[in-house]
Amino acid sequence: MADCLFCKIAAGEIPSSKVYEDDQVLAFKDIDPQAPVHFLVIPKQHIDSCAAIDAQNAPLVAHIFEVIARITKEEGIESFRVVSNTGEQAGQSVKHLHFHVLAGRSLAWPPG
Ligand code: 5GP
Ligand code: ZN
């Protein structure tokens, strides 16, 4: 999608600190980390947000969760939080589906 920051990162047009990549997804470190471990996992295909998940793209979303489990296991991260802010009130600033993976410190609940 033109003018989408994460589409540009997925295409390699904007550099990122890659954690994992395959033909469908990219994981990269958040530019403004909120925990000692903070990376984002995105589909390479543009999807607006969690609100746009449907029967057609659900297998891709399932693959993202499989990738999150694989990365965290490989890095020895046993405790982590997965967050996907959806919509402006929830704090979504980039309108391309992404899952934050946060770890390495105690994480408060409920979130702010
Ligand atoms: P949101 O606010 O939509 O839930 O999450 C967007 C995230 O993208 C933020 O945590 C922000 O720090 C991160 N971000 C914004 N621009 C860039 C960028 O150019 N590179 C990287 N690696 N992360 C970014
Ligand atoms: Zn996009």
Side-chain angles (χ1 to χ4, degrees), residues 6 14 17 23 26 31 36 42 44 72 79-80 82-83 96 101 107-108:
F6 286 179
I14 293 175
S17 182
D23 57 332
L26 177 69
I31 205 166
I42 65 168
K44 289 188 172 177
T72 50
S79 185
F80 58 92
V82 181
V83 176
H96 177 127
V101 179
L107 298 165

Side-chain angles (χ1 to χ4, degrees), residues 1-8 10 42-48 94-97:
M1 192 188 208
D3 259 10
C4 170
L5 174 65
F6 286 179
C7 280
K8 288 179 182 163
I42 65 168
K44 289 188 172 177
Q45 168 195 321
H46 184 90
I47 298 170
D48 284 347
V94 179
K95 292 175 179 52
H96 177 127
L97 178 65

Side-chain angles (χ1 to χ4, degrees), residues 5-6 28-32 40 85 91-94 98 100:
L5 174 65
F6 286 179
F28 56 98
K29 290 185 181 172
D30 197 291
I31 205 166
D32 181 22
L40 304 171
N85 299 318
Q92 183 179 7
S93 61
V94 179
H98 52 282
H100 297 258

Side-chain angles (χ1 to χ4, degrees), residues 9-85:
I9 287 179
E13 291 165 18
I14 293 175
S16 66
S17 182
K18 270 182 217 174
V19 172
Y20 172 89
E21 182 173 22
D22 65 26
D23 57 332
Q24 298 175 76
V25 313
L26 177 69
F28 56 98
K29 290 185 181 172
D30 197 291
I31 205 166
D32 181 22
Q34 301 301 311
V37 174
H38 186 180
F39 61 88
L40 304 171
V41 189
I42 65 168
K44 289 188 172 177
Q45 168 195 321
H46 184 90
I47 298 170
D48 284 347
S49 73
C50 280
I53 295 171
D54 58 21
Q56 206 197 336
N57 60 33
L60 173 55
V61 177
H63 178 60
I64 288 173
F65 276 85
E66 188 189 350
V67 164
I68 290 170
R70 193 185 314 166
I71 295 169
T72 50
K73 192 172 186 180
E74 281 174 7
E75 303 210 353
I77 301 165
E78 289 176 3
S79 185
F80 58 92
R81 183 172 292 171
V82 181
V83 176
S84 188
N85 299 318

